[in-house]
């Protein structure tokens, strides 16, 4: 017991500290001041901190929502991308299939064109020979398809000339295309050799006459000479008909066309161009309308050169033309 009482007394002594009154009062004053000011300071800072924390939490929630929305958008776009890729693969396959079909169609069309050209060349070559018979021509012109035939003839000739390469030096005379248009031009020549044929062409197929004159002016010198000769022969035959001669000679650019053809290096082309010119000169009524233009543009030097040609027919015709042209001097 004595030992325990001593321990309690020792603990009691340890609980007390001696402080001077002045220090205690100062400490008390400082504690009171801290108790008054500390809550104010802490409350303001804590309140600001809590407000910032709320704003941060709010922003974080918005960001989380935005992230979630972006994830949803990403999934949506990924799905659309996969769909678009699948559509692209399907369209690519369809395009490949269509391209193959197109190539097959082109090949078939080419084969059909070659077949039609070959058939046209064969049929028109046969018809060319048949058209030398007057009764056959009359039968042909009396049919319901005669006008359409000559319309197609004009279109075929024009298409052929357009297909010629600008730097083409010589034409494959054995090709079906070449034989086709030559046969067509030959048929027209034979038809125009008959009075009924000339009348038909002047009355019902002027488009063909216009086309031939236009093509003669488009083709370069030395190109497709046989085709040119056949067309010139056709126009000459038509010129035997007075109405045909007037139509041809009054066509715009006819006189310049003759001068253009007279400069062709091929003697046959020049020969038949001179024959057509002679048709105009020998018809007074037609010459009267063309005399002025002929005097102003006539290539006398070229015709004189042709009159010295080694080709006897060309030389003789050129000399006749020069003699016939003297009438222009008297009319002047």
């Amino acid at each position: 017991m004595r030992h325990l009482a001593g321990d309690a007394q020792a603990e009691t002594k340890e609980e007390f500290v001696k402080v001077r009154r002045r220090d205690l009062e100062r400490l008390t004053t400082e504690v009171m001041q801290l108790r008054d000011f500390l809550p104010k300071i802490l409350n303001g800072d804590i309140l600001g901190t809590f407000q910032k924390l709320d704003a941060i939490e709010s922003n974080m929630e918005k960001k989380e929502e935005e992230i979630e929305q972006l994830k949803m958008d990403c999934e949506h776009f990924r799905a659309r991308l996969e769909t678009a890729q699948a559509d692209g693969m399907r369209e690519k396959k369809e395009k490949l299939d269509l391209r193959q079909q197109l190539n097959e169609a082109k090949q078939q069309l080419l084969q059909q064109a070659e077949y039609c050209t070959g058939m046209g060349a064969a049929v028109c070559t046969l018809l060319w020979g048949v058209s030398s018979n007057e009764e056959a021509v009359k039968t042909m012109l009396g049919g319901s398809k005669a006008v359409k035939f000559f319309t197609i003839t004009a279109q075929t000739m024009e298409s052929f000339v357009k297909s010629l390469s600008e730097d083409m030096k010589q034409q494959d005379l054995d090709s079906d295309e070449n034989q086709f248009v030559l046969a067509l031009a030959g048929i027209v020549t034979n038809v125009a050799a008959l009075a009924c044929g000339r009348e038909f062409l002047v009355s019902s197929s002027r488009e063909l006459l216009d086309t031939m004159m236009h093509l003669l002016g488009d083709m370069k010198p030395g190109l497709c000479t046989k085709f040119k000769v056949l067309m010139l022969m056709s126009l000459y035959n038509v010129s035997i008909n007075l109405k045909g001669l007037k139509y041809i000679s009054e066509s715009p650019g006819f006189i310049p066309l003759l001068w253009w053809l007279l400069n062709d290096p091929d003697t046959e082309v020049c020969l038949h161009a001179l024959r057509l010119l002679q048709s105009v000169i020998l018809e007074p009524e037609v010459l009267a309308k063309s005399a002025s233009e002929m005097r102003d543009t006539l290539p006398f030097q070229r015709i004189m050169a042709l009159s010295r040609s080694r080709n006897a027919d060309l030389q003789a015709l050129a000399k006749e033309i020069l003699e016939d042209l003297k009438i222009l001097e008297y009319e002047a």
Side-chain angles (χ1 to χ4, degrees):
M1 289 294 292
R2 185 179 298 175
H3 178 71
L4 292 173
D7 290 339
Q9 186 177 9
E11 290 178 1
T12 301
K13 288 181 180 180
E14 290 177 357
E15 292 177 357
F16 296 97
V17 177
K18 288 182 179 182
V19 180
R20 287 184 299 180
R21 180 181 296 275
R22 187 177 57 186
D23 293 335
L24 179 60
E25 290 176 353
R26 187 174 59 190
L27 179 61
T28 301
T29 301
E30 291 178 355
V31 170
M32 293 297 291
Q33 289 176 347
L34 287 174
R35 191 174 64 181
D36 291 337
F37 292 107
L38 188 60
K40 295 179 181 180
I41 297 171
L42 292 178
N43 286 342
D45 293 341
I46 292 173
L47 181 60
T49 301
F50 274 113
Q51 289 177 345
K52 291 180 180 179
L53 182 61
D54 287 339
I56 291 172
E57 288 179 349
S58 178
N59 287 333
M60 288 181 64
E61 290 177 358
K62 289 181 180 180
K63 294 297 181 183
E64 288 175 355
E65 291 177 358
E66 290 176 359
I67 291 172
E68 190 64 28
Q69 183 62 43
L70 288 173
K71 287 181 179 179
M72 293 175 63
D73 291 343
C74 185
E75 291 298 326
H76 174 68
F77 288 124
R78 182 180 291 111
R80 289 183 60 182
L81 176 61
E82 291 174 354
T83 302
Q85 288 176 334
D87 292 342
M89 293 298 294
R90 185 175 63 257
E91 289 179 1
K92 185 177 181 180
K93 185 178 181 303
E94 290 176 354
K95 286 182 179 179
L96 290 174
D97 293 340
L98 288 173
R99 186 173 298 169
Q100 182 177 357
Q101 294 175 14
L102 179 61
N103 290 333
E104 291 175 356
K106 286 181 177 179
Q107 188 63 30
Q108 292 175 2
L109 185 61
L110 180 61
Q111 292 174 355
Q112 291 175 2
E114 291 176 350
Y115 170 79
C116 291
T117 302
M119 176 63 73
V123 171
C124 287
T125 299
L126 293 174
L127 187 58
W128 186 3
V130 173
S131 64
S132 61
N133 181 280
E134 183 174 354
E135 292 303 318
V137 172
K138 289 180 179 179
T139 300
M140 184 172 67
L141 297 180
S144 60
K145 299 295 183 179
V147 173
K148 186 173 183 180
F149 172 79
F150 289 113
T151 299
I152 294 174
T153 295
Q155 294 170 350
T156 304
M157 288 179 172
E158 186 172 17
S159 178
F160 171 75
V161 173
K162 285 181 178 179
S163 70
L164 297 177
S165 174
E166 290 186 1
D167 58 353
M168 197 171 192
K169 297 302 180 185
Q170 80 181 71
Q171 181 69 15
D172 182 7
L173 299 179
D174 296 327
S175 69
D176 287 335
E177 292 85 353
N178 190 75
Q179 188 57 39
F180 193 3
V181 294
L182 287 180
L184 288 172
I187 293 168
V188 176
T189 301
N190 287 346
V191 169
L194 300 175
C196 62
R198 292 190 286 271
E199 184 62 31
F200 181 89
L201 292 174
V202 175
S203 302
S204 305
S205 296
R206 292 186 174 185
E207 179 186 353
L208 174 59
L209 302 178
D210 293 337
T211 298
M212 288 193 294
M213 287 187 284
H214 176 71
L215 296 181
L216 285 168
D218 274 355
M219 287 188 289
K220 291 185 176 181
L223 182 64
C224 298
T225 55
K226 191 172 182 180
F227 183 40
K228 287 180 180 178
V229 168
L230 286 170
M231 288 193 291
L232 282 168
M233 290 174 65
S234 298
L235 293 173
Y236 172 76
N237 287 345
V238 171
S239 73
I240 297 174
N241 179 297
L242 180 58
K243 185 166 60 175
L245 178 59
K246 288 181 178 180
Y247 181 77
I248 293 173
S249 63
E250 293 173 4
S251 297
F254 173 68
I255 300 300
L257 172 63
L258 291 178
W259 310 158
W260 166 256
L261 293 169
L262 287 173
N263 285 298
D264 197 284
D266 186 81
T267 55
E268 286 293 308
V269 172
C270 294
L271 176 65
H272 290 283
L274 285 177
R275 291 181 66 193
L276 190 54
L277 172 60
Q278 192 174 44
S279 290
V280 176
I281 296 172
L282 296 180
E283 181 55 50
E285 183 180 350
V286 176
L287 178 61
K289 293 183 178 180
S290 305
S292 177
E293 185 177 5
M294 292 174 66
R295 275 194 299 268
D296 294 338
T297 61
L298 192 65
F300 286 101
Q301 296 300 322
R302 175 59 178 168
I303 298 175
M304 291 176 64
L306 295 176
S307 70
R308 297 187 294 272
S309 171
R310 294 179 180 179
N311 183 292
D313 292 335
L314 180 58
Q315 180 186 118
L317 183 57
K319 288 180 178 179
E320 288 181 20
I321 294 291
L322 289 173
E323 188 66 27
D324 294 335
L325 286 173
K326 290 182 179 179
I327 192 174
L328 296 178
E329 299 176 5
Y330 299 117
E331 291 186 357

